[in-house]
Amino acid sequence: MITSYNQKSCGDILVVTLTPNAEKQIVTTSGNVTRISNAETGQATGFNIANVGAELGIIGENGQIFLNEEQINILNANIKSAGFDEIMKVSPSKLVIGFVESLSNHPDSDHLHITQTKVSDQKSLQIVSGSPNMKAGIKVVVAQPGTMMPSGALIWDGALRGVPSSGMIVSGRELHLPGAPEKPGALVLPNDFGEIGDVFDFKKGATLYTNGLVDTNY
């Protein structure tokens, strides 16, 4: 579940994204709650909830919001009172520290590589990357499927030139980190930055380039 809040351009709207938008959708509004669903399966793909910012205590915020259990309970009460059945659960950030375990050439590209990247003790993802500094044995930042990037872009499962790719290995530029170079290239983290599976710490990451802690010569 991805939640984002917008008060500036769209008014007091909380957007809940559950899955990628379906090609054919059904939009149903009840009170302040709008349910978006897949027209073929009936599965909810998201909700737009109006005038809930004060109730959640998020007035003044814009962009992605991570809700705690109390806020999730308020969200569920709004959805239920509107007559919908879905129940939301607390969802931590999916932007985590990963470790590139292996690297192989893409069969249909001279610059893409297929990585097996560990994102927890029990989980590895196949991620296709075109970063010129990609190699095995490095710590990176992984946007797992279901991540909202600082730009507002949503990351889902996909494929690059026919090879499945689950998420994205990201650059400092894509994370909007101060001093990040304006060129393609994965953010390669220092070994002591954090443990595999830890949520990426933006406050700590803000000094990586300005303090010369990462190599930008590639």
Side-chain angles (χ1 to χ4, degrees), residues 36-199:
I36 302 98
S37 61
N38 185 313
E40 295 182 356
T41 67
Q43 179 186 10
T45 59
F47 289 90
N48 293 342
I49 306 174
N51 304 319
V52 74
E55 197 175 358
L56 294 175
I58 57 175
I59 291 291
E61 299 189 44
N62 286 280
Q64 186 172 18
I65 300 290
F66 295 101
L67 301 179
N68 59 36
E69 188 171 354
E70 181 180 355
Q71 291 170 318
I72 289 289
N73 289 338
I74 294 171
L75 176 63
N76 284 328
N78 277 267
I79 292 172
K80 184 177 180 180
S81 67
F84 301 116
D85 296 330
E86 283 78 15
I87 299 295
M88 307 296 109
K89 297 181 179 180
V90 175
S91 180
S93 173
K94 294 180 178 293
L95 192 66
V96 301
I97 297 174
F99 179 78
V100 181
E101 298 177 293
S102 65
L103 189 78
S104 60
N105 292 329
H106 192 292
D108 190 34
S109 172
D110 60 2
H111 73 281
L112 295 175
H113 295 90
I114 304 168
T115 77
Q116 298 299 322
T117 300
K118 191 174 183 178
V119 293
S120 75
D121 288 341
Q122 295 82 30
K123 183 179 179 183
S124 292
L125 300 176
Q126 176 171 291
I127 302 176
V128 178
S129 173
S131 294
N133 59 338
M134 187 54 55
K135 60 183 180 180
I138 58 175
K139 274 188 176 179
V140 292
V141 182
V142 177
Q144 300 178 86
T147 297
M148 177 181 283
M149 296 296 291
S151 65
L154 301 178
I155 306 300
W156 301 110
D157 286 316
L160 289 175
R161 293 199 179 182
V163 175
S165 183
S166 189
M168 181 173 71
I169 296 173
V170 302
S171 67
R173 178 182 57 175
E174 290 164 330
L175 293 172
H176 294 184
L177 296 182
E182 289 297 319
K183 62 180 180 179
L187 168 57
V188 180
L189 295 170
N191 285 330
D192 61 355
F193 185 86
E195 300 300 321
I196 296 168
D198 287 352
V199 172

Side-chain angles (χ1 to χ4, degrees), residues 192-214:
D192 61 355
F193 185 86
E195 300 300 321
I196 296 168
D198 287 352
V199 172
F200 179 71
D201 185 336
F202 275 91
K203 184 176 181 180
K204 187 176 178 182
T207 65
L208 286 172
Y209 291 101
T210 55
N211 288 345
L213 300 177
V214 292

